[in-house]
Amino acid sequence: MEVKKLSISWQFLIVLVLILQILSALDFDPYRVLGVSRTASQADIKKAYKKLAREWHPDKNKDPGAEDKFIQISKAYEILSNEEKRSHYDHYGDAGESQGYQKQQQQREHRFRHFHENFYFDESFFQFPFNSERRDSIDEKYLLHFSHYVNEVVPDSFKKPYLIKITSDWCFSCIHIEPVWKEVVQELEGLGVGIGVVHAGYERRLAHHLGAHSTPSILGIINGKISFFHNAVVSENLRQFVESLLPGNLVEKLTAFAHKDYLSFGYVYVGLRGAEEMTRQYSVNVYTPTILIFKEHIHKPADVIQARGMKRQVIDDFITQNKYLLAARLTSQKLFHELCPVKRSHRQRKYCVVLLTVEATKLSKPFEAFLSFALANTQDTVRFVHVYSNRQQEFASTLLPDSDTFQGKSAVSILERRNTAGRVVYKTLEDPWTGSESDKFILLGYLDQLRKDPALLSSEAVLPDLTDELAPIFLLRWLYSASDYISDSWDSVFHNNWREMMPLLSLVFSALFILFGTVIVQAFSDSNEERESSPPDKEEAREKTGKTEPSFTKEPSSKIPKKGFVEVTELTDLTYTSNLVRLRPGHMNVVLILSNSTKTSLLQKFALEVYSFTGSSCLHFSFLSLDKHREWLEYLLEFAQDAAPIPNQYDKHFMERDYTGYVLALNGHKKYFCLFKPQKAVEEEEAMGPCSDFDSSLHLGECRGKSSSGLGPRPIKGKLSKLSLWMERLLEGSLQRFYIPSWPDLD
């Protein structure tokens, strides 16, 4: 009976909570919270949010209701910054989350009923904080939403590490680690570590983006890179995890990481041997933490701070004041923007005194004088910098009026930036800067006059952007990017996003399995074909019913020949259309030019050279009789003037031109051909004498009148000796192509 009453009271409590939350949700107006109208633009909404967030942030506002107010401001901005949620609220009065909330509440009620019906528990169970909304409010001020994470946390992670916890409702493990999490947060936040909490139930998009698929999860973010915590959740492990996020070449201090782009950090344990001399040299109190800042002069610190309870804010302020050198060198456009900011108003004028000097291995006298002048300066509106003119030539030439006067010498210019596009007003000292007392006196006079009359800077110019001198070379940038990509991929596969990578890995392994299976099956099938088919065992070639058989087996260079012979057909009126004009796309006909007297010998040599290419189904082999179709061949050669001169009908040797041994690769579909010319025999080159420079057999008729007594018929041996190499280039597609408008009739 008591259990039944307890169940009824619990159901009534749940209904009451639902009613109260629904009423509070109906009363919630994001426009009223941010103080903007319903027609406000995104810029106005963002401006109002930033103003209210700074005013009601719990760290700055000690009002007891500051935390609740800050949560309302964040929730209102989350709704109004999202166009979809804003439109849904304007039409229906909510952000489209009520249905999901009611469903979640029903699931909670169902779980509790199921738990209540099967177990008995006393009243102390009601005080157990299942719902994260009823737990300690320590997590509320660290809650993150997606836009806040992308726009603020990720950019800020390049200055300090972040420790983020992923939690959810009805999470027993989240309750178990909560005491440890509180302790670590209080300790690390004081050191400058960013803290964040993501509720996976309300911020599913952000949790999915972070790769957190279970709760609780703890991860760290530094330089925009996510690293998951995989050890037992104890204080020492979490501290070591945060320390491991910092790069190994930095001191294990967060301040060093935040200012790593401007300063180099080091530390000294005063209790070690050899530290007494350093403490005595710089008058350091060994019983008080001390920070020394060194700038141009390494033998004397530029600034010192000593304090027993040195807080991080004090350290940050001290380092920020000494972030730059007394006369820093401009090495990039970014540094130029920081040291010489653009003028905002007449009251915020900033002048830059620029020393243009040549790079030297040691400090020169002009630079030493310029540095001492900068050290003695007391004006807050003046910044001293120097530039190596040989490294920033365009920048230096813009400020120097006469390059011949200042060739190889130093110069000083006073400038004021007017806009970010590079427009400046400036004045350059008329004489080169030597560092003498008179030069210092002239520069001091200009600076005093500038305080009274800004019109002293009478010259105007547009400065080019400075070259980034410290940027790594392309190869190093590529190596760094590749290393980061491999590291991120390794972490994603084995730690962060294993579930998301499973489909991709399954696809990759399936493709590899299919590929290797195909290779193995093909290897076994090819070996069976080789055992079944035997290569030709005779070393003579003959033509039988249009089939020519090679005299030996040649090493395959393209595909393994499927037959023991080369099928060569004659190109005649009957076969011309099917073998050339209507040849299928992608197929080519390799045609050998021969005569009746050279038919047998050339076919035999032709078969030997092309036998290794008969495995390709896209190649067909034919021969053309020169005695029957000379005119057709010479018409084709007219389109290959650079390879074969146009025959002249008035040439007395016109009919004596020897085209035997020529090979044409004809593409009937695309209407082009490639030409192979036979190689000259060594014996013919020696006999031709002065005619040896002419092109093979095309000019053979022209030289016969001079050397007819010393030459017999052209030797067949060697004509097709390099045909196999030509065939390789044909398959590669690297041969010259000669296009024709249409294929002529084969008369």
Side-chain angles (χ1 to χ4, degrees), residues 159 254-265 312 315-317 319-320 323:
K159 299 180 181 179
L254 299 173
T255 304
F257 177 77
H259 301 278
K260 65 182 184 302
D261 295 332
Y262 301 93
L263 296 94
S264 297
F265 290 81
R312 186 174 185 273
I315 299 176
D316 288 341
D317 295 341
I319 293 179
T320 302
K323 188 164 60 173

Side-chain angles (χ1 to χ4, degrees), residues 261-308:
D261 295 332
Y262 301 93
L263 296 94
S264 297
F265 290 81
Y267 61 94
V268 176
Y269 287 127
V270 295
L272 300 178
R273 293 183 179 180
E276 295 85 356
E277 182 179 355
M278 180 177 295
T279 56
R280 184 170 53 254
Q281 179 181 357
Y282 300 116
S283 302
V284 175
N285 184 0
V286 295
Y287 300 104
T288 305
T290 306
I291 299 179
L292 308 176
I293 295 288
F294 294 88
K295 295 187 177 181
E296 283 86 354
H297 299 291
I298 60 175
H299 301 292
K300 181 181 179 181
D303 202 352
V304 181
I305 182 174
Q306 289 183 341
R308 292 187 180 276

Side-chain angles (χ1 to χ4, degrees), residues 602-632:
L602 282 180
L603 277 176
Q604 178 183 0
K605 184 65 175 177
F606 182 71
L608 296 176
E609 293 292 329
V610 303
Y611 171 70
S612 58
F613 301 93
T614 57
S616 175
S617 60
C618 298
L619 293 179
H620 309 274
F621 303 96
S622 304
F623 68 89
L624 180 73
S625 176
L626 185 62
D627 301 327
K628 300 177 183 179
H629 308 290
R630 174 181 286 269
E631 294 183 3
W632 181 88

Side-chain angles (χ1 to χ4, degrees), residues 48-64:
Y49 166 72
K50 287 186 175 181
K51 180 181 178 181
L52 293 174
R54 286 194 297 265
E55 179 182 355
W56 291 97
H57 196 281
D59 292 342
K60 297 181 179 180
N61 195 322
K62 303 304 181 183
D63 189 274

Side-chain angles (χ1 to χ4, degrees), residues 339-366:
L339 292 175
C340 303
V342 177
K343 183 190 77 170
R344 299 299 180 184
S345 64
H346 294 287
R347 297 182 178 181
Q348 296 180 352
R349 292 182 178 273
K350 295 290 183 181
Y351 301 104
C352 266
V353 182
V354 184
L355 173 65
L356 304 171
T357 184
V358 181
E359 182 179 5
T361 56
K362 60 181 180 179
L363 297 181
S364 59
K365 180 181 177 182

